[in-house]
Amino acid sequence: MEYVISNAMVARSFTSYLATIYGVSDSNSWRIEAQCLSPGYNMLDLPAVALIAVLTMCISYSTKVSCRVNLVITTFHMALMGFVVAIGFAKGSISNLTHPDGFAPFGTKGVWNGAALVYFSYIGYDAVSTMAEEVHLPSKAMPRGIAGSLVFVTCLYCLMAASLVLLLPYTQINMMAPFATALCEKTGWKWASVVVRIGACIGIVSSLLVAMLGQARYFCVIARAHLLPSWFARIHPRTKTPLNASIVLGACTSIVALFTDMHILLDLIAIGTVFVFYMVANALIFKRHVRRGETSPWPTLGFLLSISCIAIGVTTYWQTGEGNATTLALGLTIGIFLSLVFKALFPMVSYPRKGMACPLYAYLGGLLYLPQHLPHGLDLNRGFCKVCHLVVFGCDFLPCLQLTLFP
């Protein structure tokens, strides 16, 4: 469901960028208004549906063909981003980094909130893991693919953000087409603005293609575990792809993309991501420390409840406007202390298999998911994830702690 919602939002953003290529500032002009539907669901997006239909046919036909198409699209997109970065650093002004309100005009809280919003861009890199059955030597290819893509995308994101601010002060950035507008205003090259808009559309297609590949394979594996009808797990004998899962999920994504506004989809994605992270983190700890008939579940449940309460308290204090960096540091410190005490007093009964360890991964990932702007009433839901992701899930990835507490 998380992939369906996020893919629907990406598909609708394709329509917005496509409109800018033809100089249309109002993206809704390419959508059909249905007077009989409620606001937020009344702008029918037919270009998004068409895009999803084409990509569904592509991934259903052949995985190899889909990957080749994605490689071509990505190569062009990377070249275009390299061009934008080069222009930004060549034509930009370093004074824009501090003009007009200083380097960090919104302070520490603004930095954390911005990082939380940027975290949305990282949803989907785990889709690389869904291709394990279709690559050679997955034990080596998967860690390299996931870690390599994450590092590369992070560096590229930073370079693109820096080039944009170098071209224009942050107060003058056009939210609808930031890079295209910045290039046009700074260099006067209208052709470059058009090329950047085309590149943005191509990048959306590439992102959507990979996500749709991944979501079908997730669905297929869930069906193999008999949590869904086994019909979804069938592999087509000729195309060797999960055809049934691909078609059903493509249809579901099309329906959501046709009706639902992007702002609503963004809120749903945030809620779903927090819920998934929170449940996985708790389930992982519970599974490793509780064995039915042998150990009592109450200490583990009490620990998880304590971590959740800390997260709710820190988040609530932050959202009321009183919180600062000291509040976050204090909450994190208390969470780490409780997790170490819990691990020392209640050893694991189910040990994880030896494998690749990534020190501090979950802590760094959790820091990226600090408070962000969501509608009122969602703050507490988001709070569950904060310290749980930072602390509970993180301790299981710290080799130094595992060697100390469980030699």
Side-chain angles (χ1 to χ4, degrees):
M1 187 176 67
E2 184 79 358
Y3 268 82
V4 167
I5 295 172
S6 62
N7 289 346
M9 199 198 80
V10 172
R12 285 186 72 95
S13 68
F14 173 80
T15 304
S16 301
Y17 276 97
L18 190 62
T20 62
I21 296 178
Y22 295 92
V24 179
S25 58
D26 183 12
S27 59
N28 283 331
S29 62
W30 284 53
R31 300 184 176 111
I32 301 174
E33 185 176 1
Q35 299 290 345
C36 58
L37 298 177
S38 301
Y41 304 92
N42 61 339
M43 301 304 297
L44 306 185
D45 198 327
L46 296 181
V49 174
L51 175 63
I52 294 171
V54 171
L55 294 183
T56 299
M57 289 188 289
C58 182
I59 65 175
S60 299
Y61 175 72
S62 171
T63 301
K64 183 178 291 186
V65 172
S66 301
C67 291
R68 287 176 178 173
V69 171
N70 184 59
L71 179 62
V72 173
I73 293 175
T74 303
T75 301
F76 175 78
H77 194 216
M78 297 301 299
L80 184 61
M81 286 191 284
F83 168 75
V84 172
V85 171
I87 294 298
F89 280 86
K91 298 287 187 177
S93 173
I94 196 171
S95 63
N96 289 338
L97 295 177
T98 56
H99 178 79
D101 302 314
F103 183 74
F106 301 102
T108 304
K109 190 171 183 177
V111 173
W112 289 123
N113 288 342
L117 292 174
V118 170
Y119 186 82
F120 169 70
S121 304
Y122 289 89
I123 297 175
Y125 73 86
D126 56 311
V128 177
S129 63
T130 65
M131 307 301 293
E133 296 181 353
E134 301 172 75
V135 299
H136 296 291
L137 298 175
S139 60
K140 293 183 178 180
M142 290 297 101
R144 293 173 181 174
I146 294 173
S149 61
L150 188 59
V151 172
F152 186 76
V153 168
T154 300
C155 294
L156 191 59
Y157 198 108
C158 294
L159 289 173
M160 290 287 286
S163 65
L164 177 61
V165 179
L166 287 172
L167 286 171
L168 284 177
Y170 78 95
T171 54
Q172 301 178 22
I173 294 175
N174 186 331
M175 298 299 292
M176 289 300 299
F179 288 98
T181 305
L183 280 176
C184 185
E185 291 186 8
K186 193 68 177 181
T187 65
W189 301 341
K190 292 186 178 180
W191 63 267
S193 176
V194 175
V195 171
V196 169
R197 290 187 173 101
I198 295 174
C201 291
I202 292 176
I204 290 173
V205 173
S206 175
S207 173
L208 189 57
L209 177 62
V210 173
M212 291 181 67
L213 271 172
Q215 74 170 1
R217 281 145 185 81
Y218 275 128
F219 214 58
C220 179
V221 172
I222 293 172
R224 283 182 190 171
H226 303 290
L227 299 175
L228 289 171
S230 59
W231 182 81
F232 293 108
R234 292 179 185 174
I235 304 298
H236 193 274
R238 185 177 63 84
T239 63
K240 306 298 181 183
T241 61
L243 183 63
N244 297 339
S246 299
I247 293 175
V248 170
L249 288 171
C252 294
T253 306
S254 297
I255 293 173
V256 176
L258 178 63
F259 295 100
T260 316
D261 187 80
M262 287 179 60
H263 297 291
I264 297 174
L265 293 174
L266 182 59
D267 293 340
L268 291 174
I269 293 169
I271 295 170
T273 304
V274 172
F275 180 76
V276 170
F277 283 0
Y278 177 71
M279 293 302 295
V280 169
N282 282 270
L284 178 65
I285 297 301
F286 190 86
K287 181 179 179 180
R288 290 184 178 176
H289 290 270
V290 177
R291 181 176 293 167
R292 183 176 296 180
E294 296 184 15
T295 58
S296 173
W298 297 111
T300 304
L301 292 175
F303 166 68
L304 296 176
L305 179 61
S306 300
I307 294 293
S308 299
C309 290
I310 294 173
I312 292 174
V314 171
T315 305
T316 303
Y317 192 60
W318 179 281
Q319 292 295 334
T320 57
E322 302 295 333
N324 50 33
T326 304
T327 306
L328 295 175
L330 180 61
L332 181 61
T333 302
I334 296 174
I336 292 176
F337 175 76
L338 286 178
S339 65
L340 293 178
V341 171
F342 173 75
K343 274 185 168 283
L345 297 178
F346 302 97
M348 290 189 293
V349 295
S350 177
Y351 290 86
R353 290 179 294 179
K354 297 296 183 181
M356 179 182 177
C358 187
L360 296 177
Y361 160 75
Y363 288 95
L364 297 176
L367 285 173
L368 287 176
Y369 207 77
L370 289 169
Q372 55 182 291
H373 297 294
L374 288 177
H376 295 294
L378 301 183
D379 298 334
L380 297 185
N381 292 334
R382 192 185 329 106
F384 279 113
C385 175
K386 303 291 194 309
V387 181
C388 286
H389 192 191
L390 287 168
V391 180
V392 183
F393 198 57
C395 286
D396 290 281
F397 283 92
L398 288 173
C400 58
L401 289 180
Q402 289 189 6
L403 289 175
T404 303
L405 301 177
F406 306 103

